[in-house]
Amino acid sequence: MSTVDLVDYDEAVRRFDPVIGIEVHVELGTRTKMFDAAPQTFGAEPNTAVTPVSLGLPGALPVVNGTAVEYAIRIGLALNCQIAETCRFARKNYFYPDVPKNFQTSQYDEPIAFDGHLDVELEDGTVFRVEIERAHMEEDAGKNTHVGGSTGRIQGAEYSLVDYNRAGIPLVEIVTRPIVGAGERAPEVARAYVQTLRDIFRALEVSEARMERGNVRADVNVSLRPTPESPLGTRTETKNVNSFRSVERAVRYEISRQAAVLDEQGTVIQETRHWHEDTGITTSGRVKSDAEDYRYFPEPDLVPVAPSREWVEEIRANLPELPAARRRRLQAEWGYSDPEMRDVINAGAVELIEATVAAGSSPAAARKWWMGELARTAKTQEVELAELPITPAQIGQLQQLVDAGRINDKLARQVLEGVLAGEGDPEQVVVARGLEVVSDDGPLLEAIDAALAAQPDIAEKIRSGNLGPVGAIIGSVMKATRGQADAGRVRELVLERVNG
Ligand code: ADP
Ligand code: MG
């Protein structure tokens, strides 16, 4: 692979205005496929989840999956789109082995949803509005596996296998209008947009939306122009970018690469490009087909889809709470400040805190644990918060032990350590490690007397009314009880002892 010149990112965005466009495909989690009753499965034996329709056998006739239409409408409504009164499917003709019919049934000029927008919140709280051109229904292709080459691509392969289990799975493709005005933050906007969409798919319960399974796939279009006033430049389309981080990296890389191309040759070619996860670069794919190459025409085997206005309104009325609204509600319920809530969101801790509060912790305490001690542990171990071997229920239990006065904050940290080390629930760790606060005055008084006897000058000062050194005595008692004393109670007892 030849090395490509890149312009340093900061310089590229100083000299050019990036414009991006994102196409997101989401696989809908319906029981059956888009146009036939073949089941949707993941990981089944190849070519077992098929019918004559998904195999494109002659004479097989498609039928539209009503649930898929409902899911597409849900998505359209959540993205503030208009829902078409009537729309049709079209045949997008091309020959490739993963498309057994030699055409993909898609929507072309009559999408089910159009003219929407999505407000995307960036990590620092800035809200960026992304305009949605359309969301249309289509079917997924099968999956080719190229065997024998070193790259897994068709070039150099000895033979190819094709699995039609995925062929015909319902997809919704969401296409943005060109996203302008993001400037140097274009890569971040791209990632935040895809992430926000993923959260919406999950909230709408239209898809499991697992990026790593390819349930959500993004194609990122990027172009540069000299200034924000210039006409749009020529775009490249980087296909199938399958993680949030990769979306950001791919946009960033294309900006640096196109800047170098413009500097040297003056023109970018309109083409599709492949994203290489391992090296973080894109390479040339094929010269982009224009729509006319696909010879689109209306699908004659399917009737138009005409969702009644009553049905659309019913779906709208039953939309679940969307992530942005939910976060606003939780923030109000929890009484977090904007920066506190943002940190919680960025740490991926919203669900964890919600579950911890449900398990009996106060919102403030839940945040303290997840964003403090546990965030530090996760960082050291380089894992996500949710991957730590501790559950919200256990944090709830821990906090209840603190609230009940059975352990103090310092002991709670040791309990936490025990839970993380796999020693069981907080209660079990407290018992096994003997960490309970000493609530019996007897042992406390013993420790106090010993401390006073060891430091007679301090005892004298306290007796003469100078309360400054009480802390030193409390410190000694804490040490003697391995931190298991209630400092407030120790203070009371010290004063009683000295004055009484
Ligand atoms: P295609 O059929 O080539 O995939 P689509 O219309 O489905 O075309 O999607 C193209 C995407 O690229 C859209 O999100 C669109 O807004 C975006 N786009 C169009 N022109 C440009 C451009 N000059 N620079 C960046 N993005 C663009
Ligand atoms: Mg497209």
Side-chain angles (χ1 to χ4, degrees):
M1 213 170 282
S2 63
T3 48
V4 184
D5 288 337
L6 298 178
V7 171
D8 170 69
Y9 182 78
D10 294 327
E11 195 196 326
V13 290
R14 232 185 346 263
R15 288 200 284 118
F16 296 98
D17 180 46
V19 175
I20 58 177
I22 304 171
E23 301 161 71
V24 166
H25 292 86
V26 55
E27 282 182 349
L28 302 180
T30 49
R31 223 167 27 77
T32 57
K33 291 185 179 178
M34 186 69 223
F35 301 112
D36 67 306
Q40 260 216 62
T41 55
F42 181 83
E45 277 292 294
N47 298 310
T48 53
V50 292
T51 67
V53 174
S54 32
L55 291 175
L57 300 186
L61 287 174
V63 178
V64 173
N65 181 334
T67 306
V69 175
E70 181 181 334
Y71 286 6
I73 294 174
R74 267 191 223 171
I75 292 172
L77 292 174
L79 300 179
N80 306 292
C81 289
Q82 310 283 322
I83 305 300
E85 305 228 353
T86 174
C87 60
R88 276 187 302 183
F89 286 95
R91 292 187 178 184
K92 180 179 182 180
N93 296 281
Y94 65 100
F95 176 80
Y96 207 61
D98 59 8
V99 179
K101 298 179 293 190
N102 290 344
F103 61 84
Q104 179 193 30
T105 308
S106 179
Q107 292 192 305
Y108 174 49
D109 49 354
E110 299 179 58
I112 184 143
F114 51 91
D115 285 351
H117 64 261
L118 179 60
D119 287 332
V120 173
E121 192 171 327
L122 306 182
E123 279 195 1
D124 68 353
T126 309
V127 174
F128 193 95
R129 176 161 292 190
V130 173
E131 304 289 341
I132 310 286
E133 181 186 304
R134 62 176 197 273
H136 66 254
M137 296 183 284
E138 58 184 35
E139 58 178 337
D140 212 343
K143 191 167 168 44
N144 290 328
T145 306
H146 305 296
V147 185
S150 58
T151 59
R153 299 197 188 278
I154 196 166
Q155 295 83 356
E158 282 166 37
Y159 60 94
S160 298
L161 298 169
V162 58
D163 174 10
Y164 290 116
N165 284 354
R166 200 177 68 182
I169 287 183
L171 294 180
V172 166
E173 177 177 345
I174 299 148
V175 183
T176 68
R177 291 193 193 287
I179 301 172
V180 297
E184 61 181 19
R185 301 189 79 175
E188 191 189 343
V189 167
R191 174 171 54 83
Y193 169 73
V194 177
Q195 202 159 355
T196 306
L197 273 184
R198 194 277 313 262
D199 292 346
I200 289 177
F201 300 147
R202 290 199 174 157
L204 293 173
E205 295 181 353
V206 297
S207 174
E208 284 185 37
R210 290 167 65 162
M211 301 286 285
E212 73 284 4
R213 284 194 175 180
N215 296 150
V216 179
R217 308 191 286 267
D219 301 340
V220 299
N221 296 264
V222 177
S223 68
L224 297 183
R225 53 183 177 174
T227 70
E229 290 73 39
S230 322
L232 295 184
T234 304
R235 68 183 159 112
T236 60
E237 179 183 354
T238 303
K239 304 289 273 182
N240 290 328
V241 188
N242 284 347
S243 74
F244 302 133
R245 191 164 157 261
S246 301
V247 167
E248 180 163 357
R249 287 168 79 204
V251 172
R252 217 181 144 88
Y253 179 84
E254 270 301 288
I255 290 173
S256 284
R257 188 191 67 83
Q258 289 185 16
V261 171
L262 289 171
D263 280 349
E264 275 169 37
Q265 287 123 53
T267 51
V268 169
I269 341 170
Q270 183 167 339
E271 61 181 358
T272 65
R273 297 185 66 86
H274 300 298
W275 167 247
H276 301 269
E277 185 68 50
D278 46 351
T279 47
I281 67 167
T282 67
T283 55
S284 181
R286 60 186 159 85
V287 171
K288 181 77 192 170
S289 312
D290 279 325
E292 46 269 36
D293 297 335
Y294 289 121
R295 296 286 182 268
Y296 278 101
F297 64 87
E299 165 59 64
D301 287 340
L302 289 169
V303 292
V305 173
S308 74
R309 295 301 94 179
E310 293 73 41
W311 190 38
V312 171
E313 287 319 308
E314 190 188 317
I315 296 172
R316 192 196 305 275
N318 289 310
L319 281 185
E321 184 181 34
L322 293 177
R326 176 163 173 273
R327 284 170 185 171
R328 275 196 300 277
R329 174 176 59 79
L330 289 174
Q331 183 181 352
E333 280 175 22
W334 294 344
Y336 292 178
S337 69
D338 287 349
E340 283 170 351
M341 190 65 187
R342 206 176 306 132
D343 286 347
V344 165
I345 291 169
N346 293 340
V350 175
E351 279 71 27
L352 294 168
I353 290 179
E354 194 178 22
T356 307
V357 170
S361 163
S362 72
R367 193 179 69 80
K368 183 189 77 182
W369 290 120
W370 286 108
M371 301 304 292
E373 204 69 9
L374 292 168
R376 277 191 290 279
T377 308
K379 194 163 172 221
T380 323
Q381 300 183 4
E382 297 185 351
V383 295
E384 299 291 322
L385 273 182
E387 291 166 357
L388 288 174
I390 194 163
T391 63
Q394 287 172 323
I395 299 293
Q397 212 183 83
L398 181 77
Q399 186 56 38
Q400 282 178 337
L401 290 171
V402 175
D403 293 342
R406 288 184 52 200
I407 54 175
N408 55 30
D409 258 27
K410 193 151 166 242
L411 293 169
R413 277 169 226 285
Q414 293 180 49
V415 177
L416 204 63
E417 201 183 279
V419 176
L420 287 167
E423 293 168 26
D425 283 335
E427 182 76 47
Q428 291 168 300
V429 176
V430 166
V431 174
R433 291 193 176 193
L435 291 176
E436 203 141 356
V437 165
V438 180
S439 52
D440 186 354
D441 287 350
L444 293 182
L445 286 169
E446 247 172 65
I448 290 169
D449 288 342
L452 289 172
Q455 292 148 286
D457 48 328
I458 291 189
E460 192 43 49
K461 276 188 194 157
I462 300 174
R463 201 165 290 130
S464 65
N466 176 2
L467 295 187
V470 173
I473 301 294
I474 298 176
S476 308
V477 173
M478 281 298 185
K479 207 159 166 193
T481 56
R482 299 185 359 259
Q484 281 165 262
D486 172 354
R489 182 66 189 144
V490 173
R491 187 184 172 82
E492 279 170 24
L493 291 174
V494 171
L495 296 180
E496 270 177 42
R497 217 46 172 182
V498 171
N499 301 320

